[in-house]
Amino acid sequence: MGDSSGHTRVASRDDSIFGPAEYLAHLVDICGRFHVRPEQLLKGTGVKPSTFERPSAVVSKASSMRVVERALALTSEPGLGFYWGLSLKLSSHGPLGLLAMTSGTLRDAIMVAERFMQLRASELALRTHQAEGALVIEFHNQVPAHLRVFFSEAMFIMLLHVGRALVGHPIAARCELPFAEPAHFRRFAHLMPDDVRFGGTVNRLFIPTALLDEAVLTSDSVMARRAERECQRELDELRARASFLSTLRRHLSPERGDFPSLEELAERTHSSTRTIKRKLALQGQSYRKLVDELRRDRATELLTASDLPLEKIAAQLGYSDTASLHRSFRRWFKCTPEAYRQRR
């Protein structure tokens, strides 16, 4: 699916890539300040502490959302998004951060963020336009409704503090958020601009036009060209991987319990098992793990959104009996399907 600027957005599903594992590593560190241990936070999420040891590791949307849910529950801090957003410095964003740091002006930095944002957050759609004497940055968080406040607050505070780092002073912006003012907001209001409005239709950040031509303090045209080439290379690779995953997904139907073997999938896609394994490995993935994650996500969906008996759920997931479903749930969540369903 394209956008008005001609850039391709990667279609998202619950098993799609959400972003680099290093973003979650920051959240793990923050939770440590609230005395939540990494193994406690990551339990049942599909993410292991060893994941963060691989510089290029990425995490699926489903796993990322589970980590955030557990972080909010275990810390009992509804304003955790502010902590997370503050932790994400320019250096946290890889080549995109370097490209922003070396851009000529604040406007240039914003434009490269719009162009390459999907490299860092596949579930974030960022758009800009001119209105009311300002450049308006709109962003849509394609995340579950109960997590939108967390991600919106994190995104606003991250953008504002990155902007401050780029030009050396606070950004006098206006913020519009698409929800009522949360009870915890007053504790963090000093981190935001004076003009914050709630109850809008979308997340919007209004940056006065007069600020857009301010020079970036670390501008470097030579490094900017190098960073742009690296971002473009990564974007091309991302599109190729997205095309490959889209092909695989057309032949995997969790809704129908269709989980072919790797050999059957290779035959259906006119590929080889070796090629599929190699391409999945580039994303820190394996076919067995992919199928397991699809089963897990479909199982939790059926348990929480339907009253189907366990026998029918097991059959829909391709299990021969409910005992297999129970074993999987103990491995995934350290509990039974019945106990998981009672959490609704």
Side-chain angles (χ1 to χ4, degrees):
M1 180 168 61
D3 62 31
S4 59
S5 62
H7 303 133
T8 300
R9 275 201 81 249
V10 180
S12 63
R13 281 180 41 162
D14 281 347
D15 58 322
S16 64
I17 297 302
F18 182 76
E22 62 203 61
Y23 286 161
L24 285 186
H26 285 279
L27 188 57
V28 172
D29 286 349
I30 291 166
C31 288
R33 302 180 211 162
F34 290 85
H35 309 292
V36 177
R37 300 185 309 278
E39 58 272 18
Q40 182 184 10
L41 174 64
L42 301 176
K43 181 180 178 181
T45 64
V47 181
K48 295 180 171 56
S50 60
T51 301
F52 306 120
E53 297 172 6
R54 304 195 310 271
S56 59
V58 292
V59 183
S60 72
K61 175 182 177 181
S63 292
S64 298
M65 298 305 105
R66 280 191 284 270
V67 173
V68 173
E69 287 171 342
R70 286 186 62 79
L72 288 166
L74 293 171
T75 63
S76 299
E77 174 51 80
L80 200 63
F82 284 102
Y83 288 88
W84 192 40
L86 285 171
S87 75
L88 300 176
K89 311 288 195 300
L90 278 162
S91 56
S92 306
H93 303 293
L96 176 55
L98 178 60
L99 180 52
M101 289 170 62
T102 54
S103 295
T105 65
L106 181 60
R107 184 197 306 272
D108 295 334
I110 294 170
M111 293 301 103
V112 299
E114 179 180 21
R115 179 179 171 189
F116 294 115
M117 179 59 76
Q118 65 183 272
L119 290 176
R120 309 303 293 178
S122 64
E123 296 300 316
L124 177 67
L126 189 151
R127 304 286 183 268
T128 64
H129 64 271
Q130 295 281 342
E132 303 178 32
L135 180 70
V136 184
I137 303 176
E138 289 189 359
F139 56 94
H140 303 257
N141 293 316
Q142 299 175 20
V143 298
H146 65 289
L147 297 179
R148 285 175 188 158
V149 171
F150 170 89
F151 280 100
S152 291
E153 290 175 344
M155 189 66 185
F156 270 111
I157 207 68
M158 185 272 289
L159 287 173
L160 289 165
H161 279 257
V162 161
R164 178 174 185 164
L166 290 173
V167 297
H169 61 77
I171 302 295
R174 184 175 98 214
C175 302
E176 293 183 359
L177 296 90
F179 44 79
E181 180 176 336
H184 65 263
F185 180 77
R186 288 295 98 194
R187 291 192 286 123
F188 301 93
H190 64 283
L191 300 172
M192 300 283 281
D194 292 335
D195 194 353
V196 178
R197 306 178 187 184
F198 293 92
T201 57
V202 69
N203 294 296
R204 291 191 180 96
L205 182 64
F206 292 73
I207 299 180
T209 303
L211 296 178
L212 297 176
D213 293 324
E214 286 202 24
V216 171
L217 296 178
T218 49
S219 176
D220 183 330
S221 59
V222 174
M223 287 303 300
R225 287 194 292 272
R226 292 180 183 175
E228 183 176 13
R229 287 195 295 269
E230 177 62 18
C231 286
Q232 187 61 54
R233 183 190 65 78
E234 287 193 11
L235 186 60
D236 291 342
E237 289 181 356
L238 177 66
R239 289 170 174 167
R241 290 198 301 269
S243 177
F244 169 71
L245 287 175
S246 295
T247 299
L248 290 191
R249 287 172 185 146
R250 285 198 296 271
H251 298 280
L252 292 169
S253 301
E255 299 81 4
R256 300 196 302 270
D258 184 14
F259 300 101
S261 68
L262 180 58
E263 290 72 19
E264 290 171 332
L265 182 66
E267 184 176 347
R268 292 184 188 183
T269 57
H270 307 289
S271 185
S272 67
T273 59
R274 183 176 180 180
T275 296
I276 294 174
K277 287 180 180 179
R278 177 176 56 80
K279 290 185 176 181
L280 285 173
L282 289 174
Q283 301 177 65
Q285 185 65 280
S286 70
Y287 185 62
R288 181 178 178 179
K289 182 181 176 184
L290 176 62
V291 170
D292 190 59
E293 289 176 353
L294 288 171
R295 272 203 176 100
R296 180 190 64 202
D297 295 339
R298 181 59 175 162
T300 57
E301 179 183 347
L302 289 171
L303 279 169
T304 57
S306 79
D307 294 315
L308 284 175
L310 294 186
E311 292 79 7
K312 289 191 175 181
I313 291 178
Q316 284 200 26
L317 295 172
Y319 290 121
S320 58
D321 52 38
T322 56
S324 299
L325 178 64
H326 274 81
R327 283 193 294 271
S328 290
F329 260 81
R330 290 191 195 99
R331 177 167 51 82
W332 293 330
F333 304 112
K334 305 295 188 277
C335 70
T336 66
E338 294 90 343
Y340 192 93
R341 174 170 263 170
Q342 288 174 4
R343 300 176 185 174
R344 286 191 297 184

